Amino acid sequence: MEIFQHLSFQHPVWLPLFTAITFLIVFARYLLISGAFHYVCFVWFRSYFQPRYLHTVPKQRRQMQREIRLSALTSLIFSVLFAVMFLLWQGGYTRIYLHWSDYAWWYHPISLAAAMLLHETYYYWLHRWMHRPRVYRLLHRWHHESIHTASTTSFSFHPLEAMLQALIIPVLILVLPMHYWTLFFFLIVMTLSGTINHAGVEVYPKNFERHWLGRWIIGATHHDLHHRKFQFNYGLYFTFWDKWMKTEWPAFEKLFREKTGSGGREQE
């Protein structure tokens, strides 16, 4: 990373070129993760995941093509914001640091947890705001056109919604000290989480909804209910805001047990 500190964007070609390269990386990451997840769940381990399908309606090719087109536009918006973040870092305005020794070892996982909790809070309340009727019709409806979600749905947003969702990241790096590898891992977690939540197949094991950690983690069953029920399950990574604000679908745990083949008589 040190070599990028002295990279000059004074020449008018460099910033568009940097943005274009970043776009290729971001969009390729989306295609790789969503494609790999689809292949592993629905092709390689099809028999294992068959009882966990969240829907039986076949995914139409037109929907997936629309999702990929919107995801390409979302990736471009993310790339422009990443270029802005890079310029802020070069100018010394961010709290990104380059050496692990700049902070105690225990701070690095805490900074990741803090970033995820702050992102969760921002997303939950932004998400609820986007379900206000006028805002929904203007922005969020584009994402909800995918009622039956798949791994390609994870980046499928209206351009303005994509910008609103991404704005929290530049704000975080302005106020929260993070090692650049921690930030990189955080971005990977964001992509993986979005893919898992929209994949249309539950990957978490049976009884996970009762586990001390699992009951706070969002997966495909939880978020699929949001796409079908609209006014419930607004969270991104964690369920705590939904639980505190009484916006979690009441029958979520029962549905999770049905999808994972657990629960026995409790499913009746």
Side-chain angles (χ1 to χ4, degrees):
M1 277 292 284
E2 290 88 344
I3 62 173
F4 293 111
Q5 283 184 304
H6 307 292
L7 181 64
S8 175
F9 284 152
Q10 292 180 353
H11 194 283
V13 172
W14 281 111
L15 187 57
L17 180 60
F18 179 83
T19 304
I21 293 173
T22 305
F23 164 74
L24 292 176
I25 294 172
V26 171
F27 189 52
R29 184 189 65 181
Y30 155 78
L31 291 175
L32 178 64
I33 293 178
S34 62
F37 197 92
H38 178 81
Y39 179 78
V40 168
C41 291
F42 290 91
V43 179
W44 197 0
F45 290 119
R46 184 180 181 89
S47 60
Y48 175 75
F49 284 113
Q50 183 68 38
R52 303 183 179 195
Y53 282 6
L54 299 181
H55 56 78
T56 56
V57 177
K59 177 60 62 177
Q60 296 183 1
R61 183 173 299 179
R62 285 185 301 174
Q63 177 178 320
M64 296 188 73
Q65 290 174 344
R66 178 184 61 82
E67 291 171 345
I68 292 173
R69 287 196 300 269
L70 285 176
S71 297
L73 187 54
T74 296
S75 298
L76 178 60
I77 292 168
F78 287 177
S79 301
V80 171
L81 285 175
F82 186 83
V84 171
M85 290 167 55
F86 190 89
L87 290 174
L88 290 172
W89 171 71
Q90 262 199 335
Y93 299 107
T94 74
R95 304 299 301 278
I96 296 175
Y97 55 93
L98 304 182
H99 306 290
W100 294 109
S101 58
D102 289 348
Y103 287 82
W105 65 267
W106 49 263
Y107 174 77
H108 307 303
I110 287 178
S111 67
L112 175 63
M116 293 182 67
L117 291 173
L118 289 170
H119 189 197
E120 177 69 38
T121 300
Y122 173 81
Y123 179 86
Y124 177 85
W125 291 105
L126 173 68
H127 198 177
R128 287 195 64 171
W129 174 76
M130 288 192 299
H131 274 265
R132 295 173 66 92
R134 289 186 179 180
V135 183
Y136 179 86
R137 288 193 297 269
L138 177 64
L139 300 181
H140 200 46
R141 177 180 58 82
W142 288 36
H143 185 63
H144 273 274
E145 286 180 0
S146 300
I147 298 175
H148 300 288
T149 59
S151 56
T152 51
T153 313
S154 59
F155 270 26
S156 179
F157 304 118
H158 185 285
L160 185 54
E161 178 181 349
M163 187 180 304
L164 289 172
Q165 288 207 31
L167 279 178
I168 184 62
I169 309 303
V171 173
L172 281 177
I173 66 171
L174 290 175
V175 298
L176 179 67
M178 295 180 70
H179 191 276
Y180 70 91
W181 275 115
T182 304
L183 175 61
F184 177 77
F185 183 73
F186 175 44
L187 297 175
I188 293 295
V189 169
M190 287 172 53
T191 304
L192 284 173
S193 176
T195 302
I196 289 172
N197 293 352
H198 290 92
V201 61
E202 184 57 68
V203 300
Y204 293 123
K206 64 181 180 179
N207 299 321
F208 191 66
E209 85 288 359
R210 303 177 186 177
H211 189 270
W212 67 268
L213 178 62
R215 67 188 302 266
W216 301 106
I217 303 298
I218 289 176
T221 304
H222 196 276
H223 193 70
D224 186 76
L225 279 167
H226 173 73
H227 277 256
R228 293 192 286 121
K229 304 300 181 182
F230 287 10
Q231 301 302 317
F232 294 89
N233 297 12
Y234 294 102
L236 177 62
Y237 308 112
F238 310 114
T239 62
F240 62 83
W241 275 115
D242 278 314
K243 293 182 187 299
W244 292 345
M245 303 308 297
K246 311 296 184 185
T247 56
E248 188 171 57
W249 179 249
F252 157 66
E253 292 186 0
K254 180 177 183 295
L255 181 62
F256 186 93
R257 291 192 289 271
E258 292 173 357
K259 298 304 176 185
T260 57
S262 63
R265 294 180 179 177
E266 294 180 7
Q267 294 184 29
E268 297 177 359

